Structure formats: C-alpha cells, structure tokens
Amino acid sequence: MTSPDRSAAPDTPPSLSVTNPAVEHATASPQAVDDLHIPEDALILIPVRNFVLFPELVVPIGIGRETSIAAAQAAARSNRPVGIIQQKDPEVDEPGQDDLYSVGTSASILRYITTPDNNHHVICQGEQRFRIIKLLDGFPFKVAQVERYTEPNIDSPDIDARMLQLKTRTDAVIALLPDAPEALSSIAQNITSPAIFADFVAGMIDIKPAEKQEILDTLDLKARLDKVLAHLERLDQVLRIRQAIAEETKERVDDRQREYLLREQLKTIREQLGEDDEQGADVAELREKIEQAKLPEAADAAARKALKRLEQMSDASAEYSMQRTYIEWLIELPWHVETETPIDIAKARDILDADHYGLAKIKKRILEYLAVRKLNPDGRSPILCFTGPPGVGKTSLGQSIARATGRKFARLGLGGVHDEAEIRGHRRTYIGALPGNIIQAIHKAGARNCVLMLDEIDKLAASAHGDPAAALLEVLDPEQNNEFRDNYLGIGFDLSKVLFITTANVLDNIPGPLRDRMEVISLQGYTPDEKHQIALRYLLDRQLKANGLTQAQCQVDDDVIDAIIQGYTREAGVRNLERALGGVCRYAAMAIAENRQSQVHVTAALLPDILGPVKFENEVAMRTSLPGVATGLAWTPIGGDILFIEASRTPGSGRLILTGQLGDVMKESAQAALTLVKAHFEAFGLPRDYFDKHDIHVHVPAGAIPKDGPSAGVAMYTALASLISDRAVYANLAMTGEISLRGLVLPVGGIKEKLLAALQAGIKRVMLPARNAKDLDDLPAQAREQLDIVLLDNVDQAIETALEAPVVPVNEDDPAHPKRIWRWSPP
C-alpha cells in the first residue's frame, strides 16, 4: 500500500520530481477549443501507461506525448473533464481503440504544471467510471464517445460485512507498513461509502496494473469488494513475512556486531599484554574461508562449531592442529564442484577406439552408459566391475571413460587393504586421524562427480581391524551412498555423483553382497593377432618414446613382434610383451648412444642376443607321444594355460596315486574318471580283475604349483583310457570339461581364456562340452577360424575324437604279449 499523494508517470518514465508547481502554461484559447464542438457524451482521453486512476483519488500524472499535452491543455482551458484510460501495451506510442482498455475513469484537472525542464504534469481527481463506445475522428487529440457509470447506493448486510472486514484488514496492513503516513489510517476510517473505500484501497495497494484494471472493470460492488479484500489478504501475508525476515536478519546482525566488538576488545587486550595475535589472524582467515566456501548446511554447522572450539584453545595444544586440519578438510572438499563436458557419443567412441584395440562388447556397454547419461543427467551412476587377467587394459579403460565424459580421474588401490578405517576414515579422537581413502581420492580429484577407480577389489582382506569389503557395501550402493558417512568428517557426503569403476582378477574372492552391487564386465585375454595389433599401434610407440628413440632410429620388423609373442611371452594380457619390446628398444638405444649405429634395424634373428634364448617351446608333441598322456586346458587368475595329465600303471593292489599338488576338487575328478573307466572295462577289453592287480598313478607336472577345479575331468578320463587301451592321444589336441559318473560331459568356465591358451601353444583341435557352445561367441573370429572345435555330450565322443587308431601288433600270433611295437597313424 502507498500513500495517496504518490506520483504516477504513465506517459513518461516513472521518476518524476515537481520542482516548481506554480508554473502554468497554455497554448490554445478557450474559444478555439469550443470551436472543436466536442459532444456532451464524449470525453477528451489521455492514454496512460502502467497506471490506473480510481474515482475520488487525487494523483499527479506526468504526460509526454504531444497529443496528450494538447488534450490536457484543452481540457484545462475549457474546464472540461478528461478520461484517464490505461493502454494495454506500454510500448505502443499511438494507441488506437483496440490498444486501450474499455473502462477508465473520468477526472477533473485541478492544476496543470510545467516544470523548468519542460516536463508537463496534471493533478487530477477521479470522478466516475466510464466505458468507451467508440473513438471520434476530427480532433487533434483523442476524443471518445463514452457511457458513464454512476455508482448505486447499496445498503445490504453482505456489503456491510465486507466493508467491515476490509477496514479491519486495511488497519492491519497500514500498521505493517514501515513508512506509512500517520494520517493514512484516519483517512481510511473516515470513508463511509463501500464503493469509495474499495476504490481507495485498490488505488493505494501495490499490485500489478493489470490487476488494478480488473478491479476497475468490476462494476458489481460485492464482487469488487471481494477482489480488493483478496489482494489485501495477500499483501498482509507478504508484509508479515517481510517483517519476520527483517527481525530475524536484525537479530543476526546484532549478534555479529556484538561478536565483532568483543573480538576487537580481545584483540586490544592482547596488544596491551604484548601477546602475538597470530592465532587470531589464523582464526579470522578460516572464518573468511568458511564464508566463501558456501558449505552445505550440515558441513557449515560443523565447521563453525569446530572454529568456535578453536578460538578457545591455545595454539600450543595438540588438539589445536587437529581442529584446524578438520576445518580445512571441510572447506576444501568439493561439496558442489562438478566437472563434466556435454556428452558427445561419436567423440567418446573415437576416444575408446584410439585408446584400446578390440574389446567391442566393453566399448558398447560404456557407450550405452554415456547415452543414458546424456538423456538422463540426474540418473544414478552404475557400478561397473571390470574383471579379467592382468595386462588386458582394465585400469586404462577407466582413464578412457574419464576422458570421454570430461570428468576428473582418481585411482584407489585396494590390494592388501585390511583395515575398515582405510575406507571409512579414522575417528578424530586418534592422533593423526584422516578421512578414508574414498574421501581423500575425491578431494584429490577436486570434483564430486569424478571417475573413481577402485583397483584390485578382489585383494581386500578382513582382519581384526574390520572388513573393508563390508565398508564398501554402502559406498557402492547407489541407493545409499548419497549420505555416505565418513568417521572423520562425522557428516554425510554425497557419493551418488561419483562414477565408480572397480577391477578384479577373480570374482570368487569378492563377497556375494558386494558383487551383487556391481555390474560385472569380463575382459578376457587377447589372441596373438590382437597382441600383434596392440604392439604395433600402442606398445612400440610408447617404448620408443620412453627410451628417447624415433621410428627412424629404431625399425622393428613385424616378425620380431610375432617371435616375441610366440617364444618369449605366454600371458593373457600384453604387459610382458611391452617389457620385451622395451628390451628391444634399449638395445637400439645402447647402439645409438655409443655411436656404433645411427639407425638400428631389429630382425627376428637378433632376438636371442637381445632377449636371450627362447623361453617357451612347443612341448605338446613331446609330452603326448606316449599312451597315458593328455593335454588339458586350465583357467588361472592371469589367464588360460595348458596342463598335461600323465597316467601310469604298475603292478599293485588297485590303489589310485595322485601327485602334482592337486586340490580336493581335482582329486575327486581323478577318482570319478577312474571309476568311470572301471565301469567300462569290458569296452576296453580288460579282464574283470585288471584294476585289482594294478596301481594307477595320475600325475600333473609342475608339482610346485597348486591346481584345483573340475574342468580336468575329461582330460583325466582320456589319459586313463589312453593308458589302458595303449592308444596315444593326438599331439595337437587339447580338452576341457567336467565329467559325471554317467559319462556326461558337463560345462565349465573360462572358455575364452582356455581357447586362447591353446592357440598360443600351437594346438589346432580342442574338445569342449557341448553346453559351452554359447561361450564361443566371445571368441574373436580369427581365433575361431584357426581352431577345430569339437563339442562333446559324453565321454564316448571324447574317446572317439582323442585317441589315435588302434595299434597293430608285430607278433599277431600272440596278441596278449606285453611287449608291442606300435605303428602310429598321423592325426
């Protein structure tokens, strides 16, 4: 609500200052105006901008348009009323009838004023409402034929009740106005007419011009009173809220002023005592940092509470540094900082292709995540777990994801972590306490939406200090980690924006509840062709740069890479391959540094001099040249491998001897294989008491290496069948699969790793369980083309495929003679 003598400037900007109200000016004679012959039912109009005049109100109006000035002067000279009408669009300079509201207020001009700076003003008093019928032509200003509205005198209980309520509410609003004139309340109470009072209040309250126009358009008195009362109710609420805010702000300001005065007094006392005020400057600096940090409510309260305790301590106490460190951690954590560029799927695909060769399924899943993130930026981030042997690119994939998303990257190694406090942090009661590694990694990254890689999550170990894997349950749960509570901070920190990526070699070592929170993505080993491409595209250039060489100084033939892959490395990844290439580059660097050569051309013939003798030879043919030896395929945490099952018989009492440091499951597989062979003794042409008179010895070489698992069942059965039938196993054949006592071949895991190991060892034919056929989709097309894969449903198919042709004894007259000379058929 405003005072009744306020100025309105509908034609000109609202800043109006009447400095000389006594100056009057006229440009036309009364006779000239009379000559215009304005009809009695017409009014001279003055269009105004963003202003509504109500009947009985006296207000100054600034006018600036030439037509409005002429209209006001004509009306003033001829003592005629004018029609104050609001235009719909304030930007229109020459409004027509469609640009004006239909209802306005006729007013008498009490005084016409021209200021020294040539601004024109009229002081008007509203008289009655009118409605425009039509605009009349032929006048130098706007003239309209109008219909005047006379306010009826209505006396009813409904009107009286609304009048009483309106007066009560008006008194309350006036009391809340900070600068309301003292006479305003008495003026309002002296108005007895409901129509005049409604217009008075409507003209005084501060509402939009369109809302005032709506009240002016309302001719029904009861409806008009209701509208004014509604606006007054809302204004009353706004003023009460503003008053509450002002009082609250004043209290805070008063408290701060009191605190400031006390601190200044304390500072003066310390100066008088000659004490150094470094602590005061330190506290002031921390206070300023807290103000600038704009911390969340809980963090801000904790920081201020710690700062208050800090002020009361001596800087020589041990707890002083602890409190200061805690405050600094709260200030420096990225509570609101986020770094992320707009996601470009094509650019992300190029980044992944540039950083990694192959891995089509992995890249597809990462691009799917980015696509979902682009369409739903506020969605929760999944927890990705990359599992696979060492050296296949798990960690570097996380760095590529960070590049593709434009986020900061942080890595946290979990190998060997056995203390829960490493994850959740230490309580501040301990000397040297710090936040957990999760909070520290985010602090180091400087953004709360970083890519955080938890490396080697399968290497966590429980101890007397707690189970770190259990502490990670909350960290890696998208439904809970928005309020992760670190023991050191003592307040919640939102981890839901962090993109967690974990890596592992073996999933079996990860607890089930923790594994259930992650989406497992498996990275198997590389084929020799993939290793060759990776070496050409990435590894060789990286080693040349690391050893200060250029491609012109060190030229490496393609067959050198193939020779290293076949003879010097047996791994699923490419880590040892890169080391071997590093040795080649160092050989070239040595020759160039000693000025023996300016350019070094490395060929396969030089590898024995550079890397030493060949480390891996094709021993499959040698190992399977006798009956009783079969080649199996095994899975290890560092990739696939081949192993040999050797079986031998000696006279004895029917014992089964197992050697080679076999685990319980593998021992059971050997027992099952022997039982299955005994059950088919007739098919092998053996007498019933054959196994009662012989001891069977099963040995798996490399006895210092522990071995376990059921997947050697087919290889053990084949080795025993080869032994008792005196038929050797084909040299270029390897096998895997679990067997049952019914002779079924059951599926096993790690198929891709095993097949890659077979390919690396020069094996051309592999027997697999038929139920593992679906796993062949993960094998690269080139590897599938190089291998002849036989799918088995039962052990009879394994014998038909694996054993060479039956032997032909030299002495056909004595088929049971123990000494035989075999004639072998090539595979």
Side-chain angles (χ1 to χ4, degrees):
M1 179 173 289
T2 57
S3 58
D5 60 343
R6 72 170 178 181
S7 298
D11 256 356
T12 57
S15 59
L16 172 65
S17 176
V18 180
T19 56
N20 188 7
V23 178
E24 298 187 10
H25 181 70
T27 57
S29 66
Q31 184 62 38
V33 174
D34 291 340
D35 291 343
L36 295 175
H37 302 294
I38 298 176
E40 291 296 327
D41 60 347
L43 276 177
I44 299 172
L45 296 185
I46 298 180
V48 293
R49 295 181 175 97
N50 296 325
F51 174 71
V52 175
L53 175 64
F54 285 92
E56 303 300 330
L57 289 185
V58 177
V59 294
I61 300 175
I63 52 178
R65 285 182 285 222
E66 293 295 333
T67 54
S68 297
I69 293 173
Q73 291 178 350
R77 292 297 185 185
S78 59
N79 199 24
R80 294 179 63 97
V82 293
I84 305 300
I85 190 80
Q86 183 181 202
Q87 62 187 64
K88 298 176 181 178
D89 186 359
E91 302 298 326
V92 177
D93 288 331
E94 292 297 333
Q97 184 169 348
D98 293 337
D99 300 317
L100 301 174
Y101 286 101
S102 59
V103 176
T105 302
S106 64
S108 59
I109 297 178
L110 302 180
R111 196 169 187 183
Y112 186 101
I113 303 169
T114 303
T115 61
D117 54 356
N118 203 30
N119 287 326
H120 298 263
H121 310 279
V122 290
I123 298 177
C124 299
Q125 181 176 12
E127 294 180 348
Q128 65 179 147
R129 288 173 171 80
F130 69 86
R131 185 184 302 277
I132 295 177
I133 299 175
K134 65 177 180 179
L135 292 180
L136 303 179
D137 298 328
F139 298 96
F141 38 76
K142 286 182 172 53
V143 177
Q145 182 182 0
V146 299
E147 174 187 1
R148 291 176 172 84
Y149 175 75
T150 302
E151 198 74 52
N153 187 12
I154 301 174
D155 186 11
S156 71
D158 287 345
I159 299 298
D160 293 342
R162 284 167 172 77
M163 176 71 168
L164 182 61
Q165 179 66 18
L166 189 59
K167 284 199 171 188
T168 303
R169 187 61 62 186
T170 301
D171 285 342
V173 170
I174 292 174
L176 293 172
L177 288 173
D179 300 322
E182 297 180 359
L184 185 59
S185 179
S186 60
I187 293 174
Q189 293 300 325
N190 290 332
I191 300 175
T192 57
S193 169
I196 294 176
F197 191 74
D199 290 340
F200 170 78
V201 175
M204 294 302 103
I205 58 178
D206 188 13
I207 58 176
K208 297 178 181 178
E211 295 173 336
K212 288 192 175 186
Q213 183 66 43
E214 184 182 357
I215 295 173
L216 187 68
D217 292 344
T218 305
L219 301 181
D220 181 70
L221 182 56
K222 181 179 177 182
R224 192 191 314 163
L225 287 167
D226 286 339
K227 289 182 179 180
V228 174
L229 189 59
H231 285 295
L232 204 61
E233 291 278 0
R234 180 177 178 276
L235 180 60
D236 186 20
Q237 294 178 4
V238 171
L239 290 174
R240 290 183 185 278
I241 294 173
R242 187 182 73 173
Q243 186 180 42
I245 293 173
E247 291 176 356
E248 182 180 351
T249 305
K250 184 176 182 298
E251 290 177 359
R252 286 203 299 265
V253 171
D254 290 344
D255 289 341
R256 290 183 182 179
Q257 288 177 345
R258 178 175 174 273
E259 183 180 350
Y260 172 77
L261 291 175
L262 291 175
R263 293 189 186 283
E264 289 297 317
Q265 292 175 4
L266 181 60
K267 181 180 178 181
T268 304
I269 293 172
R270 284 177 173 169
E271 289 177 354
Q272 293 294 330
L273 293 175
E275 295 180 355
D276 193 0
D277 196 29
E278 289 184 3
Q279 179 179 349
D282 201 22
V283 171
E285 181 183 357
L286 288 175
R287 181 178 291 104
E288 184 179 357
K289 288 182 177 180
I290 293 173
E291 295 289 344
Q292 296 173 353
K294 305 297 182 184
L295 301 176
E297 183 177 352
D300 187 74
R304 294 185 184 279
K305 182 178 179 181
L307 184 65
K308 190 173 182 180
R309 294 187 61 187
L310 192 70
E311 291 178 299
Q312 300 171 358
M313 296 179 189
S314 170
D315 55 1
S317 66
E319 193 177 355
Y320 183 88
S321 61
M322 294 171 56
Q323 288 291 338
R324 177 181 172 81
T325 303
Y326 174 66
I327 296 172
E328 288 176 343
W329 269 102
L330 291 177
I331 294 171
E332 294 173 2
L333 278 176
W335 298 94
H336 306 291
V337 179
E338 295 186 10
T339 57
E340 188 171 7
T341 58
I343 295 175
D344 186 339
I345 303 298
K347 182 180 178 182
R349 183 181 288 108
D350 293 340
I351 291 174
L352 292 174
D353 290 339
D355 292 349
H356 297 273
Y357 179 79
L359 305 178
K361 288 189 175 181
I362 313 301
K363 294 177 182 178
K364 178 175 177 291
R365 177 62 186 90
I366 294 172
L367 293 174
E368 288 174 350
Y369 161 74
L370 295 178
V372 173
R373 185 75 183 176
K374 182 175 183 179
L375 299 179
N376 184 18
D378 297 327
R380 297 189 181 275
S381 299
I383 312 298
L384 303 179
C385 178
F386 295 146
T387 178
V392 294
K394 300 185 294 294
T395 303
S396 60
L397 267 175
Q399 296 171 338
S400 298
I401 293 174
R403 284 184 57 203
T405 56
R407 298 188 181 195
K408 300 287 187 179
F409 177 79
R411 177 188 169 277
L412 177 58
L414 297 180
V417 173
H418 61 275
D419 189 350
E420 180 186 350
E422 296 288 327
I423 306 299
R424 286 193 173 275
H426 302 82
R427 300 189 183 278
R428 296 197 302 277
T429 53
Y430 298 107
I431 299 296
L434 284 173
N437 288 335
I438 301 293
I439 296 297
Q440 290 190 44
I442 295 174
H443 173 260
K444 183 178 180 181
R448 68 169 186 159
N449 66 336
C450 63
V451 176
L452 180 53
M453 172 156 283
L454 305 179
D455 231 349
E456 309 294 349
I457 196 172
D458 57 329
K459 307 300 188 302
L460 292 171
S463 69
H465 300 287
D467 187 358
L472 283 175
L473 291 176
E474 181 184 0
V475 175
L476 299 183
D477 191 341
E479 301 297 330
Q480 301 179 26
N481 61 11
N482 60 334
E483 279 294 328
F484 172 69
R485 185 179 179 88
D486 186 276
N487 290 331
Y488 181 82
L489 297 181
I491 55 177
F493 189 90
D494 186 4
L495 298 179
S496 62
K497 300 294 184 181
V498 178
L499 175 55
F500 287 101
I501 299 175
T502 65
T503 69
N505 297 129
V506 184
L507 284 177
D508 296 340
N509 296 339
I510 304 176
L514 183 59
R515 188 167 63 245
D516 182 63
R517 282 163 166 75
M518 301 182 293
E519 179 181 345
V520 178
I521 300 177
S522 181
L523 283 77
Q524 290 89 9
Y526 296 110
T527 65
D529 291 335
E530 289 176 332
K531 291 182 180 179
H532 184 93
Q533 293 296 327
I534 292 171
L536 285 179
R537 299 186 184 197
Y538 309 103
L539 305 183
L540 185 56
D541 289 342
R542 192 156 62 199
Q543 286 302 315
L544 287 173
K545 183 177 180 180
N547 289 279
L549 298 172
T550 64
Q551 292 182 351
Q553 291 175 312
C554 180
Q555 299 178 0
V556 180
D557 291 346
D558 286 357
D559 59 349
V560 172
I561 297 175
D562 293 332
I564 293 175
I565 293 172
Q566 296 296 333
Y568 292 89
T569 61
R570 283 274 177 91
E571 58 176 344
V574 292
R575 205 164 274 163
N576 288 327
L577 175 58
E578 184 172 5
R579 292 192 185 101
L581 290 173
V584 172
C585 292
R586 288 192 297 273
Y587 167 82
M590 190 73 175
I592 294 174
E594 292 180 345
N595 296 321
R596 289 186 281 112
Q597 291 177 272
S598 60
Q599 292 181 334
V600 178
H601 183 203
V602 182
T603 62
L606 294 174
L607 285 181
D609 296 332
I610 301 173
L611 302 178
V614 174
K615 298 179 181 179
F616 300 99
E617 296 179 353
N618 190 351
E619 55 184 352
V620 174
M622 179 184 66
R623 288 290 185 97
T624 58
S625 59
L626 296 173
V629 181
T631 305
L633 296 175
W635 179 92
T636 69
I638 61 173
D641 198 3
I642 63 171
L643 75 164
F644 298 96
I645 310 295
E646 298 178 350
S648 178
R649 65 177 179 268
T650 59
S653 57
R655 292 184 304 158
L656 174 63
I657 303 170
L658 302 174
T659 57
Q661 199 169 340
L662 308 183
D664 292 339
V665 177
M666 204 165 186
K667 290 178 180 179
E668 292 171 358
S669 295
Q671 185 66 57
L674 180 59
T675 301
L676 195 57
V677 169
K678 289 180 179 180
H680 295 82
F681 72 93
E682 293 179 352
F684 290 107
L686 302 175
R688 181 177 296 276
D689 60 349
Y690 177 85
F691 291 100
D692 294 335
K693 298 179 180 180
H694 294 86
D695 290 340
I696 303 298
H697 186 174
V698 177
H699 176 67
V700 182
I705 301 175
K707 312 168 191 71
D708 202 2
S711 60
V714 171
M716 288 184 170
Y717 178 81
T718 303
L720 292 173
S722 170
L723 174 69
I724 64 176
S725 64
D726 285 330
R727 296 167 61 186
V729 178
Y730 287 118
N732 65 345
L733 177 70
M735 62 205 74
T736 186
E738 183 182 358
I739 61 172
S740 72
L741 292 179
R742 295 178 295 163
L744 299 179
V745 179
L746 305 179
V748 293
I751 294 299
K752 181 179 178 182
E753 291 88 344
K754 293 175 180 178
L755 292 179
L756 293 178
L759 199 62
Q760 184 83 5
I763 292 172
K764 302 299 181 184
R765 201 173 197 197
V766 178
M767 295 193 304
L768 299 178
R771 289 165 62 182
N772 280 119
K774 60 182 182 298
D775 297 318
L776 297 177
D777 293 338
D778 295 333
L779 196 66
Q782 289 180 333
R784 285 199 299 266
E785 293 173 359
Q786 297 177 38
L787 289 174
D788 179 15
I789 299 175
V790 180
L791 299 178
L792 306 176
D793 290 308
N794 54 63
V795 294
D796 293 337
Q797 296 172 346
I799 297 302
E800 293 174 4
T801 304
L803 299 186
E804 293 184 346
V807 298
V808 179
V810 175
N811 185 1
E812 297 182 0
D813 296 333
D814 187 8
H817 196 282
K819 293 182 180 180
R820 298 180 178 181
I821 299 176
W822 306 100
R823 182 169 67 249
W824 302 103
S825 301

